[in-house]
Amino acid sequence: LQKKSREESSGEGSGVEILANRPYSDGPGGSGQYTHKIYHVGSHIPSWFRALLPKAALQVEEESWNAYPYTRTRYTCPFVEKFSIEIETYYRPDAGQQTNVFNLSAAEKRQRILGEYSWLEKEEGPH
């Protein structure tokens, strides 16, 4: 993993820049670790296409609040100001049977999309 990180972080327009990595005490999930990173993704885009894009389109920002068993991660791209993806995760000691782990309202539950994922199938293949 470290070797892959070094390879990905070499050269123009590549790598991960860590802007912050600090504990917090009054944030999402209570107390935890906050990280703010910029992923420079230019080396993963064909050069002809990269030449057409502004520099802001070649990076993705990640902010993460890790207060295990809860984490919140937000991804943004400076080039697309109003777009973001936010992921909330709860790690629970079950196999995903809890029906409302995020305590959603009835209106929020109507908007959600449910899916199942079996770690066993992922690791061992279908049975």
Side-chain angles (χ1 to χ4, degrees), residues 83-115:
F83 176 77
S84 68
I85 296 173
E86 199 160 302
I87 302 166
E88 288 183 282
T89 305
Y90 272 109
Y91 298 91
R92 298 292 189 210
D94 67 5
Q97 293 95 347
Q98 294 184 36
T99 57
N100 192 5
V101 70
F102 291 103
N103 298 316
L104 302 175
S105 68
E108 290 169 323
K109 286 201 293 190
R110 285 191 296 274
Q111 294 177 4
R112 71 182 175 178
I113 299 170
L114 295 176

Side-chain angles (χ1 to χ4, degrees), residues 16-125:
V16 178
E17 184 179 348
I18 299 173
L19 302 178
N21 185 1
R22 63 178 178 267
Y24 66 88
S25 59
D26 189 21
S31 298
Q33 190 74 16
Y34 169 78
T35 58
H36 185 187
K37 301 175 186 176
I38 297 177
Y39 293 90
H40 299 279
V41 297
S43 64
H44 299 282
I45 297 173
S47 59
W48 64 269
F49 190 57
R50 188 172 51 228
L52 300 173
L53 297 172
K55 187 175 181 179
L58 302 175
Q59 58 188 24
V60 174
E61 289 194 34
E62 175 194 87
E63 286 185 280
S64 183
W65 297 263
N66 185 349
Y68 186 83
Y70 173 79
T71 63
R72 177 186 290 170
T73 305
R74 180 184 322 142
Y75 294 97
T76 58
C77 177
F79 183 66
V80 188
E81 291 179 18
K82 296 186 180 194
F83 176 77
S84 68
I85 296 173
E86 199 160 302
I87 302 166
E88 288 183 282
T89 305
Y90 272 109
Y91 298 91
R92 298 292 189 210
D94 67 5
Q97 293 95 347
Q98 294 184 36
T99 57
N100 192 5
V101 70
F102 291 103
N103 298 316
L104 302 175
S105 68
E108 290 169 323
K109 286 201 293 190
R110 285 191 296 274
Q111 294 177 4
R112 71 182 175 178
I113 299 170
L114 295 176
E116 289 188 23
Y117 182 83
S118 171
W119 292 104
L120 189 58
E121 288 179 14
K122 172 75 174 161
E123 293 175 6
E124 297 179 10

